[in-house]
Amino acid sequence: MNDDNSRDLYDRALSVMPGGVNSAVRAAIEPYPFFVQKGDGGHVIDADGNRYVDWVMGLGPLLLGHDLPEEVRAGIQRNASEGPMYGAPTEIEVDLAEFVVRHVPSVEKIRFVNSGTEATTSAVRLARGHTGRNKIVVMQGGYHGAQESTLVEGDADERGPSSAGIPVSFSDHTIPVPFNDEDAVREVFEEHGDDIAAVLTEPILGNNGIVHPVPGYHEFLREITDEYGSLLIFDEVITGFRVGGLGCAQSELDVTPDLTTFGKIIGGGFPVGAIGGKAEIMEGLTPAGDVFQAGTFSGHPVTMAAGLETLKFAAENDVYEHVDGLGDRLRSGLSDIVADQAPSYTVAGTASMFKVIFTRENPGTGALEGESEFGCVQDPDSPRYEYAPKNAADVSAAETDRWRRVFWGQMKERGIFLSQNQFECQFVSYAHTEADVEETLEAYKEAL
Ligand SMILES: *Cc1c(COP(=O)(O)O)cnc(C)c1O
């Protein structure tokens, strides 16, 4: 596979951009990433003309794939050509807000921003303003964007910023706990309960190999936050409008958060974020309330049009049926391959999310009898239950180097573009086909 053009582009990029990229994970590929020339349905074509089945899909935003349906394209073009933005409100913002409020039960009001990072930053500020408390509880291995209050590592007893450049005082106020561990959360509330503004969590860890909640975990978070007068914030930047269809993961889990952060799909492929929730809490944002929030590009008409037309298209077509169906086919095919060739590995995911986690522990029985159909959910009745990763430490203990340094390149050689490391999720889009799935399963069979 020739990659001369990508190599030359990366060489140029290294001279003018830190690490040669504009977002760190893109450089996880060694020795250099391929540069994309264009998308085509469920595929991308790189700068040297190589074609790949694309399971990265922008790392989440592209529910419909690369060729946008006519309605979506028309909405984008109309709003781009009439003048890109105004610094004054437009109708399309109201249209998208109404759509979200209609479909996501916990969202009575919504504020649009420009990235998931901005959404979680504002949600944390709003939770602090609303409760008059400073501390937030987050999950180890959860990701809430590149922001000071959530870039934290360690545990409740010993923690610090996970990046240079962040004052330790931020991590004093942010307490990381292991996902799926009720006792750890209970202990933190017993010690700090009256100071905790919110628990902030992804419903499913989507930036950490995909870790599913064990039954009852989110119900427990709902109860303990209510008990202590703290807010429960779901970060649905990945799962929003992907898991649970238009009702999002919270509708599938049947747990109602106080606030929800959105991003990715809600902007139809353009820069976006949003915070939604109970009217009484949302009214805390300026100018209704006193928690400052603002943005020059917030509610950008082109983004709003892309988001609205994408979600309307999903509401009126068999989008979720298609992507979830192919997701099931991928996960069951992968479960068969893994059972045969790498029985210690774990197939994770739900709806249109999937990942093979290179877990090391080997139940030693090959294909497990009674294994839940796709070998991927936290089903206490499955014999694989105790081996399914429950938290970030379990995923970090996997063969992460083999995944990134050996396996990723083997898949690329076979024309399959997977996300850049063991931790980032992969996504099915409406443009993917059964043939893409079969080709991908063949490649896994050879590369695993
Ligand atoms: C991607 C992501 C973010 C950050 O969104 P950006 O648009 O990259 O700032 C926040 N939370 C979750 C769960 C994400 O997956």
Side-chain angles (χ1 to χ4, degrees), residues 128 134-137 149 159 168-175:
R128 287 172 169 157
N134 282 337
K135 288 197 168 23
I136 58 165
V137 176
S149 285
R159 56 189 187 271
V168 171
S169 46
F170 280 98
S171 54
D172 288 346
H173 292 309
T174 304
I175 306 173

Side-chain angles (χ1 to χ4, degrees), residues 115-117 143-145 202 207 235 237-238 264:
S115 68
T117 297
Y143 182 64
H144 307 291
E202 296 166 75
N207 295 278
D235 183 349
V237 171
I238 277 190
K264 299 191 173 134

